[in-house]
Amino acid sequence: MGCFKFIKSKVLTFNALSRQEHLLFFRSLFLLPIVAFSLQLWGMQSTQKFLAQISQKTILSSTVATSLLLAKTTSTMVNLAARYSPLWGNCLKKSLVLWYLLRCQGIMSELRIGVRRENGEFQAHAWIEHAGVVLNDTPYVYQQFTTFAQAIEVKT
């Protein structure tokens, strides 16, 4: 009976999402493995360049508050999709999918990469920012990782 209640609660939660959230969730679920394979085969620069080429080039003409709300919703749906595809959902893959989906909605964002050494081990981390706000990580990620001076940009 516990399993039935769990599934029922997930279905009810999913049904409570808007149509736009459903679309973002399914697009994320579809894109995560594609981005994962692309990264494996062609690397980050080629993957990001391809995503930039197939996404919209127009910029949404709305207030920062409106675009930030849409960006946060998109980030939430990417993270939700990544929970259901754990093999594909590390920080770089999620960040590239989020970056692409935001571009498709006319929202410009920045891919940030940070590095650190912890217990003698080199670690790297990726996240997305819009209007100076970290979308898919904690706002304090800068305290944990040293970032490159500029966002990772792709030339199309």
Side-chain angles (χ1 to χ4, degrees):
M1 192 62 157
C3 182
F4 177 74
K5 283 185 180 180
F6 174 78
I7 292 171
K8 183 179 176 183
S9 74
K10 293 293 182 189
V11 169
L12 289 173
T13 301
F14 187 76
N15 285 340
L17 298 175
S18 69
R19 184 174 190 278
Q20 178 187 26
E21 290 168 323
H22 284 145
L23 290 172
L24 288 168
F25 172 79
F26 285 117
R27 286 183 79 186
S28 300
L29 202 58
F30 175 75
L31 287 167
L32 282 165
I34 291 170
V35 167
F37 285 124
S38 179
L39 286 168
Q40 189 72 29
L41 294 172
W42 297 293
M44 188 181 91
Q45 187 176 15
S46 295
T47 299
Q48 190 180 19
K49 185 175 182 178
F50 173 73
L51 291 172
Q53 288 171 343
I54 63 171
S55 63
Q56 284 182 231
K57 302 206 181 343
T58 59
I59 297 174
L60 184 68
S61 60
S62 66
T63 65
V64 172
T66 303
S67 65
L68 192 55
L69 180 61
L70 184 54
K72 286 181 178 183
T73 299
T74 305
S75 178
T76 300
M77 292 302 103
V78 171
N79 285 331
L80 182 62
R83 280 197 279 170
Y84 291 97
S85 57
L87 295 175
W88 318 118
N90 72 14
C91 63
L92 180 58
K93 295 164 191 158
K94 290 189 299 188
S95 292
L96 283 171
V97 168
L98 177 57
W99 178 82
Y100 168 75
L101 289 174
L102 292 174
R103 281 181 64 96
C104 287
Q105 297 172 81
I107 300 172
M108 293 298 105
S109 61
E110 298 177 331
L111 173 63
R112 294 289 187 169
I113 305 285
V115 294
R116 71 179 175 191
R117 185 174 294 277
E118 189 169 289
N119 299 325
E121 188 176 297
F122 175 80
Q123 298 177 343
H125 186 55
W127 64 92
I128 297 295
E129 293 181 12
H130 170 62
V133 176
V134 177
L135 295 175
N136 58 340
D137 208 313
T138 67
Y140 311 107
V141 70
Y142 284 104
Q143 295 172 358
Q144 300 167 0
F145 291 88
T146 303
T147 61
F148 295 107
Q150 295 180 327
I152 306 301
E153 306 241 354
V154 65
K155 293 179 177 136
T156 53

